[in-house]
Amino acid sequence: MKRAAVVDFYHRLAEADPHPVTELEYRNPFTLVVAVALSAQATDVSVNKATRALFETVDTPEAMVALGEEGLKAHIKTIGLYNAKAKNVIALSQMLIDDFGSQVPATREALERLPGVGRKTANVVLNVAFGAETFAVDTHIFRVCNRTGLAPGKTPLAVELKLDKATPAPFRQHAHHWLILHGRYVCKARRPECWRCIVADLCAFKPKTPPPAAPARAAA
């Protein structure tokens, strides 16, 4: 996608949603780290359902460690891979206490030291909690960037680096959320809804999907 088209692409998404936010529910940087870690291979809806009551009383590393692995499992057992995730959340909580004064660090390198926190999770936390211009490439963003031609790449890291290079200054902080929401609700995996896409004319995807056929009217 040429630079003028990239600017137009982001401009339209920004006009439609000037202040995009994460759909994960959280109370502070710690609960954000936990929520994002739990969201791997799970939907935001399922994570929110599991953590809504949890975060009312467990919103610090100390409280999470006190809850313990089995106690956490009782809250998140509806989320995929909950056993491994519970182990990681307790371990990362303990590391925050031991190594970071119970504060969530504001660098990618430090965040990636935490158990269960990879580059994508670190990028989300940096962007949402600290306002950093990072690009967290999940399956939605990977698909949108390749399908549209905005930032094609064979791996999430390749797409991230291309996004970083291609995204102009006015749009950098919110680019991640515009792209993930566009992928989640419009540029869907199985059948993108091209007929209602506000950037369809800028997109390299072909053939564009037509609107669903109207149901046949019953004979009188």
Side-chain angles (χ1 to χ4, degrees):
M1 192 180 293
K2 294 183 178 180
R3 184 167 181 80
V6 171
V7 172
D8 195 7
F9 183 97
Y10 279 122
H11 181 71
R12 295 184 197 180
L13 295 180
E15 279 197 327
D17 187 3
H19 304 290
V21 295
T22 180
E23 293 187 325
L24 285 172
E25 297 174 7
Y26 68 99
R27 291 178 171 237
N28 53 32
F30 171 69
T31 54
L32 176 64
V33 171
V34 173
V36 180
L38 293 176
S39 71
Q41 300 182 48
T43 66
D44 288 1
V45 171
S46 68
V47 173
N48 290 339
K49 185 176 180 180
T51 60
R52 199 165 287 139
L54 172 69
F55 290 162
E56 287 182 3
T57 56
V58 182
D59 61 357
T60 66
E62 290 82 0
M64 188 65 75
V65 170
L67 177 65
E69 194 172 325
E70 293 304 316
L72 178 57
K73 286 181 184 179
H75 284 275
I76 67 170
K77 59 186 177 182
T78 56
I79 301 175
L81 305 175
Y82 74 93
N83 285 310
K85 289 177 180 179
K87 182 177 180 179
N88 283 333
V89 168
I90 298 303
L92 76 82
S93 299
Q94 190 65 59
M95 183 178 284
L96 287 174
I97 295 169
D98 295 341
D99 297 353
F100 298 101
S102 298
Q103 300 299 308
V104 174
T107 68
R108 182 186 289 114
E109 294 74 18
L111 284 166
E112 288 188 20
R113 285 180 54 198
L114 300 173
V117 175
R119 186 179 182 92
K120 183 188 75 173
T121 297
N123 280 340
V124 173
V125 174
L126 290 170
N127 179 265
V128 175
F130 302 110
E133 295 176 349
T134 54
F135 305 87
V137 180
D138 69 348
T139 56
H140 296 299
I141 294 179
F142 186 80
R143 178 177 67 254
V144 169
C145 287
N146 276 286
R147 184 180 275 169
T148 63
L150 175 66
K154 293 183 178 180
T155 66
L157 180 59
V159 169
E160 179 189 334
L161 296 178
K162 283 192 176 182
L163 270 177
D164 192 20
K165 184 176 180 180
T167 304
F171 308 109
R172 293 177 64 81
Q173 185 172 350
H174 294 313
H176 155 253
H177 284 116
W178 285 318
L179 294 172
I180 192 172
L181 293 172
H182 189 66
R184 185 173 290 164
Y185 296 112
V186 180
C187 196
K188 300 176 182 180
R190 293 187 178 180
R191 191 168 190 267
E193 298 181 1
C194 302
W195 67 90
R196 68 180 191 90
C197 175
I198 60 175
V199 292
D201 59 308
L202 303 172
C203 171
F205 178 70
K206 293 180 181 179
K208 298 290 193 291
T209 52
R217 296 180 65 183

Short mmCIF file of all heavy atoms in Angstrom, two decimals, residues 156-197:
data_model
loop_
_atom_site.label_atom_id
_atom_site.label_comp_id
_atom_site.label_asym_id
_atom_site.label_seq_id
_atom_site.Cartn_x
_atom_site.Cartn_y
_atom_site.Cartn_z
N PRO A 156 4.40 -12.66 12.63
CA PRO A 156 3.92 -11.49 13.39
C PRO A 156 5.01 -10.43 13.58
O PRO A 156 4.71 -9.23 13.49
CB PRO A 156 3.51 -12.11 14.74
CG PRO A 156 3.10 -13.50 14.39
CD PRO A 156 4.06 -13.92 13.32
N LEU A 157 6.24 -10.84 13.81
CA LEU A 157 7.32 -9.85 13.98
C LEU A 157 7.56 -9.08 12.69
O LEU A 157 7.76 -7.86 12.73
CB LEU A 157 8.61 -10.54 14.43
CG LEU A 157 9.81 -9.61 14.64
CD1 LEU A 157 9.50 -8.54 15.68
CD2 LEU A 157 11.04 -10.42 15.06
N ALA A 158 7.53 -9.77 11.55
CA ALA A 158 7.72 -9.08 10.28
C ALA A 158 6.62 -8.05 10.05
O ALA A 158 6.88 -6.93 9.59
CB ALA A 158 7.75 -10.10 9.14
N VAL A 159 5.38 -8.42 10.38
CA VAL A 159 4.26 -7.48 10.23
C VAL A 159 4.43 -6.31 11.19
O VAL A 159 4.22 -5.15 10.81
CB VAL A 159 2.92 -8.20 10.48
CG1 VAL A 159 1.78 -7.19 10.59
CG2 VAL A 159 2.64 -9.20 9.36
N GLU A 160 4.83 -6.59 12.42
CA GLU A 160 5.03 -5.52 13.41
C GLU A 160 6.07 -4.51 12.93
O GLU A 160 5.85 -3.29 13.01
CB GLU A 160 5.48 -6.12 14.74
CG GLU A 160 5.74 -5.06 15.81
CD GLU A 160 6.38 -5.63 17.07
OE1 GLU A 160 6.20 -6.83 17.34
OE2 GLU A 160 7.06 -4.87 17.78
N LEU A 161 7.18 -5.01 12.43
CA LEU A 161 8.24 -4.11 11.98
C LEU A 161 7.80 -3.28 10.77
O LEU A 161 8.15 -2.10 10.65
CB LEU A 161 9.50 -4.92 11.65
CG LEU A 161 10.14 -5.65 12.84
CD1 LEU A 161 11.34 -6.46 12.39
CD2 LEU A 161 10.54 -4.66 13.93
N LYS A 162 7.03 -3.89 9.88
CA LYS A 162 6.52 -3.14 8.73
C LYS A 162 5.50 -2.09 9.16
O LYS A 162 5.46 -0.98 8.64
CB LYS A 162 5.92 -4.08 7.70
CG LYS A 162 6.96 -4.82 6.87
CD LYS A 162 6.34 -5.51 5.67
CE LYS A 162 7.40 -6.14 4.81
NZ LYS A 162 6.84 -6.79 3.59
N LEU A 163 4.65 -2.46 10.13
CA LEU A 163 3.69 -1.49 10.65
C LEU A 163 4.39 -0.31 11.29
O LEU A 163 4.00 0.85 11.10
CB LEU A 163 2.78 -2.16 11.69
CG LEU A 163 1.49 -2.80 11.23
CD1 LEU A 163 0.78 -3.44 12.42
CD2 LEU A 163 0.58 -1.79 10.56
N ASP A 164 5.42 -0.60 12.04
CA ASP A 164 6.19 0.45 12.70
C ASP A 164 6.77 1.42 11.68
O ASP A 164 6.80 2.63 11.90
CB ASP A 164 7.30 -0.19 13.53
CG ASP A 164 7.98 0.79 14.47
OD1 ASP A 164 7.37 1.83 14.77
OD2 ASP A 164 9.11 0.53 14.90
N LYS A 165 7.21 0.88 10.55
CA LYS A 165 7.81 1.72 9.51
C LYS A 165 6.76 2.46 8.70
O LYS A 165 6.97 3.61 8.30
CB LYS A 165 8.65 0.84 8.58
CG LYS A 165 9.41 1.59 7.51
CD LYS A 165 10.29 0.66 6.70
CE LYS A 165 11.05 1.43 5.61
NZ LYS A 165 11.92 0.50 4.81
N ALA A 166 5.61 1.82 8.48
CA ALA A 166 4.61 2.37 7.57
C ALA A 166 3.61 3.33 8.21
O ALA A 166 3.02 4.17 7.54
CB ALA A 166 3.83 1.24 6.90
N THR A 167 3.41 3.21 9.53
CA THR A 167 2.36 3.99 10.20
C THR A 167 2.83 5.40 10.52
O THR A 167 3.79 5.58 11.27
CB THR A 167 1.91 3.29 11.49
OG1 THR A 167 1.50 1.95 11.19
CG2 THR A 167 0.76 4.05 12.14
N PRO A 168 2.17 6.43 9.96
CA PRO A 168 2.60 7.81 10.20
C PRO A 168 2.26 8.30 11.61
O PRO A 168 1.38 7.76 12.29
CB PRO A 168 1.84 8.61 9.14
CG PRO A 168 0.73 7.75 8.69
CD PRO A 168 1.08 6.33 8.99
N ALA A 169 2.96 9.34 12.03
CA ALA A 169 2.91 9.84 13.40
C ALA A 169 1.52 10.07 13.98
O ALA A 169 1.27 9.67 15.11
CB ALA A 169 3.75 11.11 13.51
N PRO A 170 0.60 10.71 13.25
CA PRO A 170 -0.69 11.01 13.89
C PRO A 170 -1.48 9.78 14.31
O PRO A 170 -2.40 9.87 15.11
CB PRO A 170 -1.44 11.79 12.81
CG PRO A 170 -0.41 12.24 11.85
CD PRO A 170 0.66 11.20 11.88
N PHE A 171 -1.14 8.62 13.77
CA PHE A 171 -1.96 7.43 13.97
C PHE A 171 -1.26 6.33 14.77
O PHE A 171 -1.85 5.27 15.01
CB PHE A 171 -2.38 6.86 12.61
CG PHE A 171 -3.00 7.86 11.70
CD1 PHE A 171 -2.32 8.31 10.58
CD2 PHE A 171 -4.26 8.39 11.96
CE1 PHE A 171 -2.89 9.25 9.73
CE2 PHE A 171 -4.84 9.33 11.12
CZ PHE A 171 -4.14 9.77 9.99
N ARG A 172 -0.04 6.55 15.20
CA ARG A 172 0.76 5.46 15.75
C ARG A 172 0.23 4.90 17.08
O ARG A 172 0.21 3.70 17.28
CB ARG A 172 2.21 5.93 15.91
CG ARG A 172 2.90 6.18 14.58
CD ARG A 172 4.31 6.70 14.76
NE ARG A 172 5.17 5.73 15.42
CZ ARG A 172 5.76 4.69 14.81
NH1 ARG A 172 5.58 4.51 13.52
NH2 ARG A 172 6.52 3.87 15.48
N GLN A 173 -0.22 5.77 17.96
CA GLN A 173 -0.62 5.28 19.27
C GLN A 173 -1.87 4.41 19.21
O GLN A 173 -2.00 3.44 19.96
CB GLN A 173 -0.84 6.43 20.24
CG GLN A 173 -1.14 5.94 21.67
CD GLN A 173 -1.16 7.06 22.68
OE1 GLN A 173 -0.78 8.18 22.40
NE2 GLN A 173 -1.62 6.75 23.88
N HIS A 174 -2.81 4.75 18.34
CA HIS A 174 -4.07 4.01 18.30
C HIS A 174 -4.14 2.98 17.17
O HIS A 174 -5.16 2.28 17.05
CB HIS A 174 -5.24 4.99 18.15
CG HIS A 174 -5.43 5.89 19.33
ND1 HIS A 174 -5.44 5.43 20.63
CD2 HIS A 174 -5.62 7.23 19.40
CE1 HIS A 174 -5.62 6.44 21.46
NE2 HIS A 174 -5.72 7.54 20.74
N ALA A 175 -3.09 2.88 16.35
CA ALA A 175 -3.13 1.99 15.19
C ALA A 175 -3.48 0.55 15.57
O ALA A 175 -4.30 -0.11 14.92
CB ALA A 175 -1.80 2.02 14.45
N HIS A 176 -2.87 0.07 16.65
CA HIS A 176 -3.10 -1.30 17.10
C HIS A 176 -4.59 -1.57 17.34
O HIS A 176 -5.14 -2.59 16.91
CB HIS A 176 -2.26 -1.56 18.36
CG HIS A 176 -2.79 -2.63 19.25
ND1 HIS A 176 -3.40 -2.35 20.46
CD2 HIS A 176 -2.82 -3.98 19.11
CE1 HIS A 176 -3.76 -3.50 21.01
NE2 HIS A 176 -3.42 -4.49 20.24
N HIS A 177 -5.25 -0.65 18.02
CA HIS A 177 -6.66 -0.88 18.34
C HIS A 177 -7.56 -0.73 17.11
O HIS A 177 -8.51 -1.50 16.94
CB HIS A 177 -7.12 0.08 19.44
CG HIS A 177 -6.64 -0.31 20.79
ND1 HIS A 177 -5.77 0.45 21.53
CD2 HIS A 177 -6.87 -1.43 21.53
CE1 HIS A 177 -5.50 -0.17 22.66
NE2 HIS A 177 -6.15 -1.31 22.69
N TRP A 178 -7.28 0.23 16.24
CA TRP A 178 -8.08 0.33 15.01
C TRP A 178 -8.00 -0.95 14.20
O TRP A 178 -9.01 -1.44 13.70
CB TRP A 178 -7.61 1.51 14.17
CG TRP A 178 -8.01 2.84 14.70
CD1 TRP A 178 -9.22 3.20 15.23
CD2 TRP A 178 -7.20 4.02 14.75
NE1 TRP A 178 -9.21 4.52 15.61
CE2 TRP A 178 -7.99 5.06 15.32
CE3 TRP A 178 -5.89 4.32 14.36
CZ2 TRP A 178 -7.51 6.34 15.52
CZ3 TRP A 178 -5.41 5.61 14.55
CH2 TRP A 178 -6.21 6.61 15.12
N LEU A 179 -6.80 -1.50 14.09
CA LEU A 179 -6.61 -2.69 13.25
C LEU A 179 -7.24 -3.92 13.88
O LEU A 179 -7.88 -4.73 13.19
CB LEU A 179 -5.13 -2.92 13.00
CG LEU A 179 -4.44 -1.84 12.15
CD1 LEU A 179 -2.94 -2.07 12.11
CD2 LEU A 179 -5.01 -1.81 10.74
N ILE A 180 -7.08 -4.09 15.19
CA ILE A 180 -7.66 -5.28 15.82
C ILE A 180 -9.18 -5.23 15.80
O ILE A 180 -9.85 -6.24 15.54
CB ILE A 180 -7.13 -5.46 17.27
CG1 ILE A 180 -7.50 -6.85 17.80
CG2 ILE A 180 -7.68 -4.40 18.21
CD1 ILE A 180 -6.86 -7.18 19.13
N LEU A 181 -9.76 -4.06 16.02
CA LEU A 181 -11.22 -3.95 16.00
C LEU A 181 -11.76 -4.12 14.58
O LEU A 181 -12.82 -4.73 14.38
CB LEU A 181 -11.65 -2.59 16.58
CG LEU A 181 -11.36 -2.41 18.08
CD1 LEU A 181 -11.63 -0.97 18.51
CD2 LEU A 181 -12.18 -3.38 18.92
N HIS A 182 -11.02 -3.62 13.61
CA HIS A 182 -11.43 -3.78 12.21
C HIS A 182 -11.41 -5.27 11.85
O HIS A 182 -12.33 -5.78 11.19
CB HIS A 182 -10.51 -2.99 11.29
CG HIS A 182 -10.99 -2.93 9.88
ND1 HIS A 182 -12.14 -2.27 9.51
CD2 HIS A 182 -10.48 -3.46 8.73
CE1 HIS A 182 -12.33 -2.39 8.21
NE2 HIS A 182 -11.34 -3.11 7.71
N GLY A 183 -10.37 -5.96 12.29
CA GLY A 183 -10.28 -7.39 12.01
C GLY A 183 -11.33 -8.21 12.74
O GLY A 183 -11.82 -9.21 12.23
N ARG A 184 -11.65 -7.79 13.94
CA ARG A 184 -12.60 -8.54 14.76
C ARG A 184 -14.03 -8.40 14.26
O ARG A 184 -14.82 -9.38 14.30
CB ARG A 184 -12.51 -8.04 16.20
CG ARG A 184 -13.35 -8.80 17.21
CD ARG A 184 -13.04 -8.33 18.61
NE ARG A 184 -11.71 -8.76 19.04
CZ ARG A 184 -11.05 -8.25 20.08
NH1 ARG A 184 -11.61 -7.31 20.82
NH2 ARG A 184 -9.86 -8.70 20.40
N TYR A 185 -14.39 -7.21 13.76
CA TYR A 185 -15.80 -6.96 13.44
C TYR A 185 -16.11 -6.76 11.96
O TYR A 185 -17.27 -6.87 11.57
CB TYR A 185 -16.28 -5.73 14.22
CG TYR A 185 -16.25 -5.96 15.72
CD1 TYR A 185 -15.35 -5.27 16.53
CD2 TYR A 185 -17.08 -6.90 16.31
CE1 TYR A 185 -15.30 -5.50 17.90
CE2 TYR A 185 -17.04 -7.13 17.67
CZ TYR A 185 -16.14 -6.43 18.46
OH TYR A 185 -16.08 -6.68 19.82
N VAL A 186 -15.12 -6.47 11.14
CA VAL A 186 -15.38 -6.24 9.71
C VAL A 186 -14.55 -7.17 8.83
O VAL A 186 -15.10 -7.95 8.06
CB VAL A 186 -15.10 -4.76 9.33
CG1 VAL A 186 -15.38 -4.54 7.83
CG2 VAL A 186 -15.94 -3.81 10.16
N CYS A 187 -13.24 -7.11 8.97
CA CYS A 187 -12.35 -7.91 8.13
C CYS A 187 -12.16 -9.28 8.76
O CYS A 187 -11.05 -9.67 9.15
CB CYS A 187 -11.02 -7.18 7.96
SG CYS A 187 -10.01 -7.81 6.60
N LYS A 188 -13.25 -10.03 8.87
CA LYS A 188 -13.27 -11.30 9.59
C LYS A 188 -12.53 -12.38 8.81
O LYS A 188 -12.36 -12.30 7.60
CB LYS A 188 -14.72 -11.71 9.84
CG LYS A 188 -15.50 -10.70 10.68
CD LYS A 188 -16.96 -11.11 10.83
CE LYS A 188 -17.75 -10.08 11.62
NZ LYS A 188 -19.18 -10.49 11.77
N ALA A 189 -12.14 -13.41 9.55
CA ALA A 189 -11.30 -14.45 8.95
C ALA A 189 -12.03 -15.23 7.86
O ALA A 189 -11.53 -15.35 6.74
CB ALA A 189 -10.82 -15.40 10.04
N ARG A 190 -13.18 -15.76 8.17
CA ARG A 190 -13.85 -16.65 7.22
C ARG A 190 -14.55 -15.91 6.10
O ARG A 190 -14.52 -16.34 4.95
CB ARG A 190 -14.86 -17.54 7.97
CG ARG A 190 -14.20 -18.53 8.90
CD ARG A 190 -15.21 -19.50 9.48
NE ARG A 190 -14.58 -20.48 10.37
CZ ARG A 190 -15.23 -21.44 10.99
NH1 ARG A 190 -16.56 -21.55 10.84
NH2 ARG A 190 -14.59 -22.29 11.77
N ARG A 191 -15.16 -14.80 6.43
CA ARG A 191 -15.88 -14.05 5.39
C ARG A 191 -15.83 -12.57 5.71
O ARG A 191 -16.68 -12.05 6.43
CB ARG A 191 -17.34 -14.50 5.28
CG ARG A 191 -18.04 -13.95 4.03
CD ARG A 191 -19.39 -14.65 3.81
NE ARG A 191 -19.95 -14.31 2.52
CZ ARG A 191 -20.82 -13.29 2.32
NH1 ARG A 191 -21.21 -12.56 3.34
NH2 ARG A 191 -21.29 -13.05 1.11
N PRO A 192 -14.82 -11.88 5.20
CA PRO A 192 -14.73 -10.44 5.47
C PRO A 192 -15.95 -9.71 4.93
O PRO A 192 -16.46 -10.05 3.86
CB PRO A 192 -13.46 -10.02 4.72
CG PRO A 192 -13.26 -11.07 3.68
CD PRO A 192 -13.77 -12.34 4.29
N GLU A 193 -16.42 -8.73 5.68
CA GLU A 193 -17.64 -8.01 5.29
C GLU A 193 -17.26 -6.78 4.46
O GLU A 193 -17.44 -5.63 4.87
CB GLU A 193 -18.43 -7.66 6.54
CG GLU A 193 -18.88 -8.92 7.28
CD GLU A 193 -19.70 -8.64 8.53
OE1 GLU A 193 -19.96 -7.46 8.83
OE2 GLU A 193 -20.07 -9.62 9.20
N CYS A 194 -16.74 -7.08 3.27
CA CYS A 194 -16.23 -6.02 2.39
C CYS A 194 -17.31 -5.02 2.01
O CYS A 194 -17.01 -3.83 1.77
CB CYS A 194 -15.64 -6.64 1.12
SG CYS A 194 -14.31 -7.82 1.41
N TRP A 195 -18.56 -5.46 1.92
CA TRP A 195 -19.64 -4.59 1.48
C TRP A 195 -19.90 -3.43 2.45
O TRP A 195 -20.49 -2.43 2.08
CB TRP A 195 -20.93 -5.39 1.28
CG TRP A 195 -21.50 -5.96 2.54
CD1 TRP A 195 -22.40 -5.37 3.37
CD2 TRP A 195 -21.19 -7.23 3.13
NE1 TRP A 195 -22.68 -6.18 4.45
CE2 TRP A 195 -21.96 -7.33 4.32
CE3 TRP A 195 -20.36 -8.28 2.77
CZ2 TRP A 195 -21.89 -8.46 5.14
CZ3 TRP A 195 -20.31 -9.40 3.59
CH2 TRP A 195 -21.06 -9.48 4.75
N ARG A 196 -19.43 -3.55 3.70
CA ARG A 196 -19.62 -2.45 4.64
C ARG A 196 -18.29 -1.91 5.19
O ARG A 196 -18.27 -1.21 6.18
CB ARG A 196 -20.53 -2.88 5.80
CG ARG A 196 -19.93 -3.92 6.73
CD ARG A 196 -20.92 -4.28 7.84
NE ARG A 196 -20.32 -5.07 8.90
CZ ARG A 196 -19.75 -4.56 9.99
NH1 ARG A 196 -19.68 -3.24 10.14
NH2 ARG A 196 -19.23 -5.34 10.92
N CYS A 197 -17.22 -2.23 4.50
CA CYS A 197 -15.88 -1.81 4.94
C CYS A 197 -15.57 -0.40 4.44
O CYS A 197 -15.69 -0.12 3.24
CB CYS A 197 -14.83 -2.79 4.41
SG CYS A 197 -13.14 -2.29 4.77
#
